[in-house]
Amino acid sequence: MLLQHPSLTGITSLPNHHKRSLARVACLDQHIPVDLYLGDAIYRPGCEDGHPLDPSSKAEFDSVLALDCAYHFNTRWTFLRQVHDQLRPGGSVALADICLARETTWTRFILLPVMPRENLVSTDEYLAHMQRIGYTDVRLEDITPHVFPGFISFLGKQGVVFRIFGSVMRLLAICGARFVIVRGCK
């Protein structure tokens, strides 16, 4: 589906994902440019040349898709501001992400070691923050029942450490962690 766009840009901070993506792109019989960047999704002055969100690049995007943002972006809001600045008018951003249905001490305690504090927000705070950045038509869909049960089941079959992580995920869902799809337009 993504290869129907005139060009693609991908960012990952994980070297194995980057290597695998490069190999997959090399095997494709397609004629669109695909630019894959290894590094932090957030542009910071002094980072390597070629960062897709470098404001001096004047790059513009029609759409941006980001996955698992809460624990990968420090902070999610910095990323969303940078994306907003480089979206074409009418462009959109969509994120598959984790937030909280409600704030609980337990959820914050469990998530804090793996997620920047600024990313621990409720669904309402998430929507309000995107609107403050300047996104319009902001929508949030809670897909927790479609994600957590299968993910927890998968983790339970991967060994002791992953089973423990699956138990933590189950506890998070009980305490109010939500897996959501969030969308906004410029």
Side-chain angles (χ1 to χ4, degrees):
M1 182 180 82
L2 293 175
L3 291 173
Q4 295 172 4
H5 290 272
S7 67
L8 291 174
T9 301
I11 304 174
T12 183
S13 61
L14 304 172
N16 287 341
H17 288 185
H18 184 254
K19 184 178 176 181
R20 185 172 48 227
S21 296
L22 287 171
R24 287 179 176 172
V25 167
C27 292
L28 293 174
D29 182 27
Q30 48 82 25
H31 305 289
I32 65 163
V34 178
D35 181 28
L36 299 173
Y37 181 82
L38 175 62
D40 195 330
I42 296 170
Y43 170 77
R44 289 178 175 70
C47 72
E48 293 181 30
D49 290 337
H51 192 288
L53 295 178
D54 179 348
S56 69
S57 73
K58 305 293 184 212
E60 288 188 315
F61 299 98
D62 295 316
S63 59
V64 173
L65 173 62
L67 307 175
D68 296 334
C69 308
Y71 26 81
H72 288 264
F73 295 167
N74 192 358
T75 71
R76 176 194 295 128
W77 314 128
T78 301
F79 174 77
L80 284 167
R81 276 191 299 277
Q82 290 179 355
V83 166
H84 186 270
D85 290 346
Q86 293 194 242
L87 276 178
R88 287 189 174 100
S92 64
V93 63
L95 302 95
D97 210 352
I98 291 180
C99 60
L100 308 174
R102 61 194 176 280
E103 182 177 335
T104 69
T105 303
W106 283 109
T107 307
R108 290 191 182 274
F109 176 75
I110 295 167
L111 284 174
L112 204 52
V114 296
M115 190 180 297
R117 184 170 206 54
E118 297 84 4
N119 291 349
L120 292 169
V121 297
S122 71
T123 53
D124 291 338
E125 291 170 313
Y126 203 129
L127 294 171
H129 208 108
M130 285 191 68
Q131 290 168 340
R132 280 193 300 274
I133 290 171
Y135 288 98
T136 61
D137 194 24
V138 178
R139 300 176 190 188
L140 182 145
E141 181 181 352
D142 184 342
I143 60 169
T144 303
H146 305 289
V147 175
F148 280 174
F151 184 50
I152 292 166
S153 174
F154 168 77
L155 291 171
K157 298 172 186 168
Q158 302 306 308
V160 175
V161 173
F162 286 103
R163 277 197 297 277
I164 293 168
F165 183 59
S167 297
V168 170
M169 294 304 293
R170 183 178 296 107
L171 180 60
L172 285 173
I174 291 167
C175 291
R178 313 313 297 158
F179 199 87
V180 297
I181 302 293
V182 183
R183 177 188 181 271
C185 297
K186 181 172 182 180

